[in-house]
């Protein structure tokens, strides 16, 4: 379709960098999942203490994963 564009594939070093960051990526996905559950809980009587605990635990996993790979961590501000 676009003959002037060469397909660019990730190099071995790109894949190694992704692999090294995967624990942080997985932790961030868990945090997003926990935050989404809070949004849905708002439609069903509000989030429970367990919902909030899940978010706090996911936040701590993100911080630990970021610290283990040396990535900067931005503060979390979740408004309920």
């Amino acid at each position: 379709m676009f003959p002037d564009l060469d397909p660019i594939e990730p190099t071995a070093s790109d894949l190694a960098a992704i692999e090294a960051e995967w624990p942080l990526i997985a932790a961030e996905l868990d945090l997003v999942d926990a935050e989404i559950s809070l949004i849905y809980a708002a439609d069903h009587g509000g989030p429970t203490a367990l919902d909030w605990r899940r978010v706090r635990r996911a936040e701590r996993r993100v911080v630990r994963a970021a610290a283990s790979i040396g990535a900067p961590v931005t503060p979390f501000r979740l408004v309920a």
Side-chain angles (χ1 to χ4, degrees):
M1 181 166 220
F2 299 103
D4 57 335
L5 297 177
D6 293 325
I8 299 174
E9 296 183 14
T11 64
S13 64
D14 292 336
L15 293 174
I18 292 169
E19 185 70 27
E21 291 181 12
W22 189 253
L24 177 58
I25 294 167
E28 289 174 336
L29 288 173
D30 288 342
L31 177 58
V32 169
D33 188 49
E35 291 171 340
I36 289 171
S37 71
L38 286 180
I39 293 169
Y40 285 128
D43 294 336
H44 302 304
T48 65
L50 186 61
D51 294 327
W52 286 109
R53 180 177 179 195
R54 183 176 174 212
V55 169
R56 287 191 308 272
R57 292 179 74 176
E59 288 173 345
R60 286 192 299 268
R61 279 193 299 269
V62 168
V63 171
R64 282 193 309 267
S68 73
I69 65 170
V73 178
T74 57
F76 299 104
R77 295 288 180 236
L78 188 62
V79 178

